[in-house]
Amino acid sequence: MFDLKKSPLISIGIPTYNRPIGLEKTINCFIKQTYFNLEIIISDNNSEDLKVQQLCKKYSNQDSRIRYFRQKENIGMYENFKFVLQKAKGKYFMWASDDDVFYNNFIEETLKPFFYVKDLVLCSPI
């Protein structure tokens, strides 16, 4: 049976670069999830827009589930996506772009099939 209180840690990787407005919307979608056992990993790919850094520091100071990293130099898109995956500690992982928007119950509803289908390895809302 699906029990939110015994549910595993879900890692969400958000690679970002120079998009503070979209990033803030994405972060807010995840901190408002009905599923609480999350870690949100943000990797700023050395954005030139200082608002990205300010935004990430603000949210990581407000919510202990957010882990913020700023790259010392731009490592490219692929490596930034790989970076957030390598930092993940959860049983399950998902990527989110820095302009994605999700319903507040997205994680909870997406996770449910894993409790009912033994060999399931991927679940997508598409």
Side-chain angles (χ1 to χ4, degrees):
M1 191 61 154
F2 184 72
D3 183 358
L4 284 177
K5 294 176 184 171
K6 295 182 180 179
S7 297
L9 178 66
I10 306 298
S11 298
I12 302 162
I14 307 173
T16 189
Y17 181 72
N18 282 336
R19 294 168 74 170
I21 295 170
L23 177 61
E24 186 165 29
K25 289 178 185 175
T26 302
I27 292 169
N28 276 311
C29 285
F30 288 118
I31 62 177
K32 294 177 182 174
Q33 287 293 306
T34 56
Y35 187 91
F36 191 79
N37 194 16
L38 305 171
E39 69 169 350
I40 303 163
I41 307 156
I42 303 170
S43 176
D44 176 7
N45 203 5
N46 199 266
S47 293
E48 297 163 354
D49 188 338
L50 292 178
K51 291 177 187 172
V52 173
Q53 187 175 4
Q54 293 166 350
L55 179 76
C56 291
K57 285 182 177 181
K58 172 186 140 185
Y59 279 98
S60 63
N61 287 334
Q62 290 175 356
D63 192 322
S64 63
R65 299 175 299 168
I66 297 174
R67 297 171 48 214
Y68 168 58
F69 301 90
R70 179 173 164 81
Q71 302 299 329
K72 292 179 182 172
E73 60 184 35
N74 189 309
I75 59 175
M77 183 179 75
Y78 173 74
E79 290 299 319
N80 205 29
F81 271 77
K82 192 167 127 182
F83 179 86
V84 293
L85 177 59
Q86 291 172 334
K87 291 294 181 186
K89 297 177 182 175
K91 179 174 182 179
Y92 300 106
F93 176 85
M94 72 171 279
W95 276 290
S97 293
D98 57 5
D99 63 349
D100 286 350
V101 177
F102 300 90
Y103 288 111
N104 290 350
N105 66 343
F106 175 80
I107 299 292
E108 180 179 345
E109 292 300 316
T110 305
L111 183 62
K112 281 182 182 179
F114 287 97
F115 288 86
Y116 301 110
V117 182
K118 181 183 174 190
D119 296 327
L120 188 65
V121 295
L122 174 69
C123 188
S124 173
I126 296 174

